[in-house]
Amino acid sequence: MVTVCELQIEAKKKGLKGYSGLRKSQLENLLKTGAKPAKTTKKEPPPVAFTIKTKKKKEPAKTTKKEPPPEAFTIKTKKKKEKKEKKEPEPKREPIKLLTYKEVNKDLYKDKSYKYLKKLYDKVLALTKDTNATAAERERAKTKLKPIEQAMNEAKKITYGKKK
Protein backbone atom coordinates (compact mmCIF):
# COMPACT_ATOMS: atom_id res chain seq x y z
CA MET A 1 0.00 0.00 0.00
CA VAL A 2 1.40 3.39 -1.02
CA THR A 3 1.54 6.19 1.59
CA VAL A 4 0.90 9.91 1.14
CA CYS A 5 4.57 10.59 1.70
CA GLU A 6 5.60 8.23 -1.10
CA LEU A 7 3.05 9.81 -3.44
CA GLN A 8 4.42 13.27 -2.64
CA ILE A 9 7.96 12.09 -3.43
CA GLU A 10 6.80 10.75 -6.82
CA ALA A 11 5.04 14.06 -7.57
CA LYS A 12 8.23 15.92 -6.73
CA LYS A 13 10.27 13.67 -9.04
CA LYS A 14 7.84 14.37 -11.91
CA GLY A 15 8.18 18.11 -11.25
CA LEU A 16 4.54 18.67 -10.35
CA LYS A 17 3.58 21.60 -8.16
CA GLY A 18 0.87 22.12 -5.54
CA TYR A 19 0.90 18.61 -4.13
CA SER A 20 1.69 19.40 -0.47
CA GLY A 21 -1.86 20.12 0.64
CA LEU A 22 -3.53 17.27 -1.24
CA ARG A 23 -5.02 14.12 0.23
CA LYS A 24 -4.06 10.60 -0.85
CA SER A 25 -6.81 10.16 -3.46
CA GLN A 26 -6.11 13.61 -4.89
CA LEU A 27 -2.38 12.81 -5.10
CA GLU A 28 -3.15 9.58 -6.98
CA ASN A 29 -5.31 11.50 -9.47
CA LEU A 30 -2.59 14.14 -9.85
CA LEU A 31 0.01 11.50 -10.67
CA LYS A 32 -2.30 9.72 -13.17
CA THR A 33 -3.59 12.76 -15.03
CA GLY A 34 -0.86 15.31 -14.34
CA ALA A 35 -3.51 17.99 -13.74
CA LYS A 36 -4.31 19.45 -10.40
CA PRO A 37 -7.84 18.63 -9.19
CA ALA A 38 -10.35 21.46 -9.18
CA LYS A 39 -10.78 23.25 -5.89
CA THR A 40 -13.86 22.30 -3.99
CA THR A 41 -15.82 25.23 -2.69
CA LYS A 42 -17.50 25.11 0.63
CA LYS A 43 -21.23 24.70 0.48
CA GLU A 44 -23.14 27.66 1.71
CA PRO A 45 -25.47 26.95 4.57
CA PRO A 46 -29.18 26.94 3.76
CA PRO A 47 -30.98 30.25 4.22
CA VAL A 48 -31.99 31.00 7.77
CA ALA A 49 -35.69 31.16 8.59
CA PHE A 50 -35.30 33.84 11.26
CA THR A 51 -33.96 37.39 11.27
CA ILE A 52 -31.09 38.73 13.29
CA LYS A 53 -31.80 41.73 15.46
CA THR A 54 -29.32 44.57 15.33
CA LYS A 55 -28.37 46.74 18.25
CA LYS A 56 -30.40 49.85 18.74
CA LYS A 57 -28.74 53.19 19.16
CA LYS A 58 -28.61 54.36 22.72
CA GLU A 59 -30.85 57.23 23.56
CA PRO A 60 -29.58 60.09 25.74
CA ALA A 61 -29.88 59.36 29.43
CA LYS A 62 -33.07 60.53 31.07
CA THR A 63 -32.94 62.65 34.20
CA THR A 64 -35.35 60.46 36.13
CA LYS A 65 -33.90 58.53 39.04
CA LYS A 66 -33.95 54.77 38.90
CA GLU A 67 -34.80 52.72 41.93
CA PRO A 68 -31.81 50.82 43.35
CA PRO A 69 -31.87 47.06 42.81
CA PRO A 70 -32.60 44.79 45.78
CA GLU A 71 -29.72 44.42 48.26
CA ALA A 72 -28.90 40.88 47.17
CA PHE A 73 -28.00 42.10 43.68
CA THR A 74 -26.26 45.34 44.58
CA ILE A 75 -22.97 45.89 42.80
CA LYS A 76 -20.50 48.19 44.46
CA THR A 77 -18.76 50.62 42.17
CA LYS A 78 -15.71 52.72 42.75
CA LYS A 79 -16.27 56.26 43.77
CA LYS A 80 -14.99 58.94 41.50
CA LYS A 81 -11.88 60.64 42.70
CA GLU A 82 -12.53 64.10 43.91
CA LYS A 83 -10.16 66.85 42.98
CA LYS A 84 -7.70 67.41 45.75
CA GLU A 85 -7.53 70.86 47.11
CA LYS A 86 -4.15 72.42 47.49
CA LYS A 87 -2.85 71.66 50.93
CA GLU A 88 -0.68 73.99 52.87
CA PRO A 89 2.87 72.73 53.17
CA GLU A 90 3.63 70.94 56.41
CA PRO A 91 5.88 72.76 58.85
CA LYS A 92 9.50 71.72 58.66
CA ARG A 93 10.51 69.08 61.14
CA GLU A 94 13.70 69.00 63.11
CA PRO A 95 16.45 67.06 61.40
CA ILE A 96 16.97 63.52 62.61
CA LYS A 97 19.75 63.33 65.11
CA LEU A 98 22.64 61.06 64.26
CA LEU A 99 23.27 57.95 66.28
CA THR A 100 26.27 59.67 67.87
CA TYR A 101 23.96 61.76 70.03
CA LYS A 102 22.36 58.77 71.71
CA GLU A 103 23.83 57.28 74.83
CA VAL A 104 24.63 53.59 74.93
CA ASN A 105 22.15 51.58 76.97
CA LYS A 106 24.29 49.42 79.24
CA ASP A 107 21.40 47.10 80.18
CA LEU A 108 20.89 46.27 76.50
CA TYR A 109 23.60 43.58 76.60
CA LYS A 110 22.88 42.25 80.09
CA ASP A 111 21.01 39.03 79.22
CA LYS A 112 22.85 38.15 76.00
CA SER A 113 25.00 35.05 75.60
CA TYR A 114 28.78 35.14 75.43
CA LYS A 115 28.85 33.86 71.82
CA TYR A 116 26.41 36.55 70.69
CA LEU A 117 28.38 39.29 72.42
CA LYS A 118 31.68 38.01 71.01
CA LYS A 119 30.31 38.16 67.44
CA LEU A 120 28.86 41.61 68.06
CA TYR A 121 32.16 42.80 69.54
CA ASP A 122 34.07 41.57 66.48
CA LYS A 123 31.66 43.34 64.11
CA VAL A 124 31.79 46.63 66.01
CA LEU A 125 35.58 46.42 66.26
CA ALA A 126 35.78 45.90 62.49
CA LEU A 127 33.55 48.96 62.02
CA THR A 128 35.91 51.14 64.05
CA LYS A 129 38.72 50.20 61.64
CA ASP A 130 36.64 50.39 58.45
CA THR A 131 37.86 53.10 56.07
CA ASN A 132 34.58 53.13 54.11
CA ALA A 133 32.57 54.10 57.21
CA THR A 134 31.98 57.75 58.03
CA ALA A 135 33.75 59.38 60.94
CA ALA A 136 30.49 59.56 62.89
CA GLU A 137 29.90 55.82 62.43
CA ARG A 138 33.41 55.01 63.62
CA GLU A 139 33.00 57.21 66.70
CA ARG A 140 29.67 55.58 67.51
CA ALA A 141 31.24 52.15 67.19
CA LYS A 142 34.03 53.15 69.59
CA THR A 143 31.48 54.26 72.21
CA LYS A 144 29.66 50.92 71.89
CA LEU A 145 32.80 48.82 72.25
CA LYS A 146 33.35 49.35 75.99
CA PRO A 147 29.84 48.31 77.20
CA ILE A 148 29.85 45.33 74.84
CA GLU A 149 33.25 44.25 76.15
CA GLN A 150 32.11 44.56 79.79
CA ALA A 151 28.94 42.57 79.11
CA MET A 152 30.98 39.98 77.21
CA ASN A 153 33.35 39.49 80.17
CA GLU A 154 30.39 39.10 82.57
CA ALA A 155 28.72 36.58 80.26
CA LYS A 156 31.98 34.69 79.98
CA LYS A 157 32.21 34.41 83.76
CA ILE A 158 28.62 33.19 83.99
CA THR A 159 28.94 30.72 81.14
CA TYR A 160 32.43 29.32 81.67
CA GLY A 161 33.21 30.24 85.30
CA LYS A 162 31.03 27.52 86.90
CA LYS A 163 32.79 24.59 85.21
CA LYS A 164 35.33 22.61 87.26
Side-chain angles (χ1 to χ4, degrees):
M1 185 172 212
V2 183
T3 64
V4 174
C5 185
E6 291 170 349
L7 293 172
Q8 286 179 342
I9 292 170
E10 286 180 36
K12 186 175 184 180
K13 285 179 184 176
K14 287 186 176 181
L16 299 173
K17 294 184 179 180
Y19 57 85
S20 63
L22 300 179
R23 295 192 178 131
K24 186 175 180 179
S25 61
Q26 293 172 331
L27 280 169
E28 290 170 346
N29 288 338
L30 177 67
L31 290 170
K32 287 179 186 175
T33 60
K36 192 173 179 182
K39 292 183 180 179
T40 56
T41 58
K42 293 182 179 179
K43 295 180 182 178
E44 294 184 20
V48 182
F50 58 89
T51 57
I52 300 172
K53 293 182 180 179
T54 56
K55 293 182 179 179
K56 293 181 181 179
K57 293 181 181 179
K58 292 184 178 179
E59 296 178 10
K62 297 179 181 177
T63 56
T64 59
K65 292 184 179 179
K66 295 181 181 178
E67 293 182 24
E71 290 181 19
F73 299 105
T74 306
I75 299 173
K76 295 181 180 179
T77 57
K78 294 181 180 178
K79 295 181 180 179
K80 292 182 180 178
K81 294 181 180 178
E82 296 177 7
K83 293 181 181 178
K84 294 181 180 179
E85 296 178 13
K86 292 182 180 178
K87 295 182 179 179
E88 295 178 14
E90 295 181 12
K92 292 185 179 180
R93 298 179 184 167
E94 292 181 27
I96 300 172
K97 294 181 180 179
L98 296 174
L99 294 175
T100 54
Y101 297 118
K102 293 182 181 178
E103 293 182 16
V104 178
N105 187 356
K106 294 177 183 176
D107 295 331
L108 182 66
Y109 309 113
K110 189 176 182 180
D111 298 327
K112 304 296 181 186
S113 69
Y114 172 72
K115 289 181 180 181
Y116 171 81
L117 291 169
K118 177 67 176 159
K119 287 179 183 178
L120 183 63
Y121 180 80
D122 291 340
K123 286 182 181 180
V124 174
L125 184 64
L127 183 60
T128 59
K129 298 174 184 177
D130 189 7
T131 56
N132 293 330
T134 63
E137 289 173 334
R138 286 193 295 261
E139 288 298 317
R140 178 69 179 148
K142 286 178 185 176
T143 59
K144 279 187 169 186
L145 266 178
K146 194 170 185 178
I148 293 173
E149 187 176 12
Q150 290 172 352
M152 187 174 68
N153 290 334
E154 289 175 23
K156 188 176 184 180
K157 288 177 188 175
I158 294 169
T159 308
Y160 302 109
K162 293 178 183 178
K163 294 183 181 179
K164 292 183 181 179

